[in-house]
Amino acid sequence: MNRDLSRRTKLALYGVLLVLAIPFVFPTWWMVTSSLKPVADVFAFPPQLLPVDPRLDAYRRVFELQPFGQQYVNSLYIALVVTVGTLAVSALAGYAFARIRFRGQNLLFLVVLAGLLIPSEVTIVPLFQMFFKLGLIDTHWPLILVPIFGAPSVLATFIMRQFFISLPNELEEAARVDGLGRFATFWRIALPLSRPALGAVAIFTFLHSWNLYLEPIVFLSSPEKFTLPQALTQFIDVYGGPMWDVQLAAASMTALPVLVVFVIAQKQFVEGLAHTGLKG
């Protein structure tokens, strides 16, 4: 009796979750299926949930109208470099704020956190002037350096600091007894234990860099150097109107890595964020 009730409860719960998931899954479903339709069918009424005559012509035109392959590579390598750089900076800074005692430590950490309160739109003009003087406009350097040393890295530093604070002090004491110095303790003990937090930082850093839009349109002007969010705005016809089937095909290919990364690493993402509130 109880077992049957438990099964019914689970089925009811799964049913409710399935219904609640529809508003989140349907836009992605509509995007992918509409990319396989002719333009006339995209706005057909009543709407078609499945393409009547699926075709891949829009996917072929994506690569014909823009250097989309190069733009895809641009976004991928920039996101990977930014992720690795942010992990390195945030892990070292988070460990320093959590484990090294120095005068003005808390005040300096508050100053660092204040960077989260400054919108990126406020700093975009001085950043443009700085990179212009350095001759780095229309290069990928601004898209790499700004996220690594900007607000995304501040949030990553906060997450890493909270995780390192939660580690028992006995681990460092045992490391000192074994003759390990500060950096060796960080590299051999603290960093391997911080994989959940590193996973969370890696995911949101990769997604932030992958979806970055404002900075590319400010710093880049050559189509072969565009990133994907910027490239998606270029699929227009001779009258300036959107090419819906081509845009949806490009958007589907753009969203694919995001879905793959989150599905694979969602467990690490949840565990990493859960550890940020263990100690203040």
Side-chain angles (χ1 to χ4, degrees):
M1 183 79 175
N2 292 334
R3 184 176 299 178
D4 293 338
L5 182 60
S6 178
R7 290 179 179 177
R8 292 177 182 177
T9 303
K10 289 182 179 180
L11 288 176
L13 179 60
Y14 290 150
V16 171
L17 292 177
L18 183 62
V19 173
L20 294 177
I22 291 177
F24 302 96
V25 176
F26 182 76
T28 303
W29 172 270
W30 182 260
M31 176 181 66
V32 175
T33 56
S34 296
S35 68
L36 302 174
K37 303 175 184 177
V39 178
D41 292 347
V42 174
F43 298 100
F45 187 82
Q48 301 172 356
L49 295 181
L50 291 173
V52 178
D53 182 23
R55 57 183 67 182
L56 297 175
D57 182 64
Y59 288 86
R60 175 181 57 81
R61 295 170 62 195
V62 166
F63 294 93
E64 292 178 349
L65 297 173
Q66 290 283 332
F68 194 74
Q70 181 61 49
Q71 294 163 349
Y72 213 99
V73 172
N74 293 342
S75 282
L76 186 61
Y77 100 81
I78 290 173
L80 291 176
V81 171
V82 169
T83 300
V84 173
T86 301
L87 287 174
V89 171
S90 63
L92 289 168
Y95 183 80
F97 280 119
R99 292 300 187 181
I100 300 177
R101 298 287 177 257
F102 55 90
R103 182 176 298 177
Q105 176 186 18
N106 293 332
L107 178 61
L108 180 60
F109 186 64
L110 288 176
V111 172
V112 172
L113 287 182
L116 291 175
L117 305 178
I118 304 176
S120 59
E121 293 81 4
V122 174
T123 61
I124 196 67
V125 173
L127 285 173
F128 180 86
Q129 293 176 340
M130 181 184 70
F131 286 114
F132 179 79
K133 292 179 180 180
L134 294 174
L136 298 178
I137 298 299
D138 202 25
T139 70
H140 291 150
W141 281 110
L143 307 184
I144 294 174
L145 296 177
V146 173
I148 291 178
F149 298 102
S153 186
V154 172
L155 179 58
T157 299
F158 173 76
I159 292 176
M160 297 305 301
R161 172 186 178 271
Q162 296 302 100
F163 185 90
F164 287 132
I165 285 178
S166 69
L167 295 180
N169 293 326
E170 290 77 11
L171 293 176
E172 287 196 352
E173 294 174 359
R176 295 193 194 98
V177 171
D178 291 338
L180 295 181
R182 177 69 70 180
F183 183 78
T185 302
F186 163 77
W187 183 257
R188 296 185 182 182
I189 297 177
L191 192 62
L193 293 174
S194 65
R195 289 180 182 176
L198 290 174
V201 170
I203 292 173
F204 80 72
T205 302
F206 182 89
L207 297 183
H208 177 270
S209 178
W210 186 263
N211 295 319
L212 203 62
Y213 178 72
L214 175 62
E215 285 78 0
I217 65 174
V218 171
F219 295 117
L220 302 179
S221 58
S222 302
E224 65 274 7
K225 296 180 181 179
F226 285 177
T227 57
L228 291 178
Q230 186 180 10
L232 291 177
T233 65
Q234 305 302 309
F235 294 106
I236 55 177
D237 57 25
V238 293
Y239 302 104
M243 305 171 67
W244 291 108
D245 56 339
V246 179
Q247 283 191 353
L248 290 170
S252 298
M253 289 187 285
T254 301
L256 182 61
V258 175
L259 296 175
V260 171
V261 168
F262 188 77
V263 169
I264 293 177
Q266 59 179 330
K267 181 179 179 181
Q268 289 77 7
F269 181 73
V270 174
E271 289 181 357
L273 293 183
H275 281 85
T276 61
L278 292 179
K279 289 187 179 180

